[in-house]
């Protein structure tokens, strides 16, 4: 079944065209890695898929439904979490928020069933042991895994992740990438992940989209991660390198071994 289908989609901010004439489709269970420079329209596309941004033309369907009609099927994790850390929420409570909001509950006391689901979600991301620790006291990698758990508690069919590895140190990037790999392996969830550094995620990408306001390339890693393709966006110094069965991408100052920016 088609999880996402876009036909001639253009997305606007008033008179500005953020994404122009985009056509692609993603099958259920596939993972799409979305690449492009700053201002390419990656976040705008995610927000439109999630139903938050509605100024677009063309045909856009999520499991056969318009984005607003498919909101119950989608979990969206933005690049910034927007949680007020002055509110003393525990990791468990943050995860439980995902279950409460999806069901339209308003509670001062979280139902036991949702707390149980929140614990299970924390267990899945390897953080059950810190369930009672305040969210604000967690490391960057732990916070990101808690936010992934919050997204998973509602059992979405489509998971939209905006730069989940950004602003994390190398070890935290590995931890989060491992959780994304676990989601790919153990859950039947379609994922779209925006990233500036594709290298930690190449193993889970079924499809790659190279976007620069318009579609530059879409296909399998072997089809897209080629010098002549990525250089059209990132310049002639960009390279695709194969090591064993894995493809790596060197873009600008992203280094192949660690993916560190200097």
């Amino acid at each position: 079944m088609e999880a996402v289908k876009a036909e001639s989609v253009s997305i606007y901010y008033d008179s500005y065209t953020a994404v122009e004439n985009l056509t692609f489709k993603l099958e259920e269970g596939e993972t799409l890695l979305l690449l492009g420079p700053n201002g390419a329209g990656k976040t705008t596309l995610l927000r439109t898929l999630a139903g938050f941004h509605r100024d677009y033309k063309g045909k856009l369907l999520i499991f056969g439904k318009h984005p607003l009609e498919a909101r119950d099927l989608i979990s969206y994790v933005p690049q910034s979490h927007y949680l007020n850390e002055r509110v003393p929420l525990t990791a468990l409570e943050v995860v439980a928020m995902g279950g409460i909001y999806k069901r339209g509950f308003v509670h001062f006391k979280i139902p036991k069933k949702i707390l149980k689901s929140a614990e299970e979600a924390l267990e899945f991301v390897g953080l059950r042991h810190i369930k009672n620790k305040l969210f604000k006291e967690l490391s960057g990698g732990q916070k990101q895994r808690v936010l992934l758990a919050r997204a998973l508690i509602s059992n979405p069919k489509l998971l939209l992740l905006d730069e989940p590895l950004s602003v994390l140190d190398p070890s935290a990037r590995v931890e989060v990438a491992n959780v994304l790999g676990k989601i790919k392996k153990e859950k039947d969830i379609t994922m779209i992940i925006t990233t500036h550094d594709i290298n930690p995620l190449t193993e889970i990408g079924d499809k790659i989209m190279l976007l620069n306001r318009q579609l530059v390339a879409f296909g399998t890693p072997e089809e897209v991660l080629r010098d002549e393709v990525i250089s059209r966006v990132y310049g002639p110094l960009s390279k695709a390198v194969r090591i064993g069965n894995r493809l790596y991408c060197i873009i600008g100052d992203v280094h192949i071994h660690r993916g560190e920016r200097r």
Side-chain angles (χ1 to χ4, degrees):
M1 181 180 182
E2 290 177 348
V4 179
K5 183 176 184 179
E7 292 184 355
S8 303
V9 171
S10 293
I11 308 173
Y12 306 96
Y13 285 98
D14 297 322
S15 61
Y16 175 73
T17 303
V19 175
E20 184 176 3
N21 197 31
L22 178 63
T23 296
F24 75 98
K25 66 179 180 179
L26 196 63
E27 298 297 326
E28 184 171 7
E30 287 187 323
T31 296
L32 171 65
L33 304 180
L34 180 52
L35 285 171
N38 290 332
K42 303 186 300 296
T43 296
T44 295
L45 176 57
L46 284 197
R47 288 180 52 80
T48 304
L49 289 168
F52 297 128
H53 186 79
R54 305 175 192 176
D55 188 5
Y56 72 92
K57 293 181 180 178
K59 185 176 183 180
L60 187 58
L61 298 175
I62 312 295
F63 291 98
K65 300 179 179 181
H66 295 293
L68 278 177
E69 299 169 346
R71 290 285 289 272
D72 288 345
L73 306 177
I74 302 168
S75 281
Y76 171 59
V77 181
Q79 186 173 359
S80 300
H81 61 70
Y82 302 115
L83 287 173
N84 185 351
E85 295 192 1
R86 289 178 294 181
V87 179
L89 293 172
T90 66
L92 186 66
E93 289 169 333
V94 169
V95 176
M97 287 166 58
I100 291 172
Y101 292 161
K102 279 286 187 177
R103 291 163 177 79
F105 293 159
V106 178
H107 282 288
F108 290 104
K109 186 175 181 180
I110 301 171
K112 290 182 179 180
K113 184 177 181 180
I114 291 180
L115 284 175
K116 183 176 184 296
S117 296
E119 283 200 39
E120 292 170 352
L122 279 174
E123 177 73 27
F124 183 84
V125 302
L127 290 178
R128 189 168 188 168
H129 62 287
I130 56 93
K131 67 178 183 179
N132 294 320
K133 193 170 183 178
L134 291 179
F135 181 80
K136 67 179 181 181
E137 296 175 352
L138 303 180
S139 68
Q142 288 174 330
K143 287 179 178 178
Q144 190 69 304
R145 284 191 281 163
V146 167
L147 296 176
L148 285 174
R150 184 177 69 168
L152 293 173
I153 191 176
S154 61
N155 296 313
K157 296 185 69 175
L158 175 63
L159 185 57
L160 305 173
L161 304 169
D162 195 5
E163 293 285 352
L165 305 184
S166 67
V167 303
L168 298 179
D169 62 41
S171 63
R173 283 202 295 269
V174 170
E175 291 173 355
V176 174
N178 286 341
V179 172
L180 295 176
K182 188 177 180 183
I183 294 171
K184 173 70 175 175
K185 182 178 180 181
E186 299 183 19
K187 293 184 178 288
D188 187 24
I189 298 177
T190 307
M191 291 192 285
I192 300 180
I193 306 170
T194 72
T195 181
H196 278 92
D197 183 6
I198 194 175
N199 294 327
L201 302 173
T202 52
E203 285 189 341
I204 68 172
D206 300 296
K207 298 288 175 57
I208 294 176
M209 179 188 294
L210 189 55
L211 184 68
N212 194 9
R213 294 182 60 193
Q214 296 181 331
L215 183 65
V216 177
F218 176 81
T220 64
E222 289 76 14
E223 292 169 333
V224 175
L225 296 184
R226 294 183 289 124
D227 293 353
E228 61 270 28
V229 175
I230 60 176
S231 64
R232 284 153 57 187
V233 171
Y234 295 104
L237 296 181
S238 304
K239 298 292 180 183
V241 180
R242 180 181 291 277
I243 299 178
N245 294 323
R246 291 190 64 181
L247 279 166
Y248 293 85
C249 194
I250 305 173
I251 298 172
D253 58 356
V254 178
H255 295 260
I256 186 169
H257 296 298
R258 291 175 176 245
E260 294 175 315
R261 297 183 182 274
R262 296 180 180 175

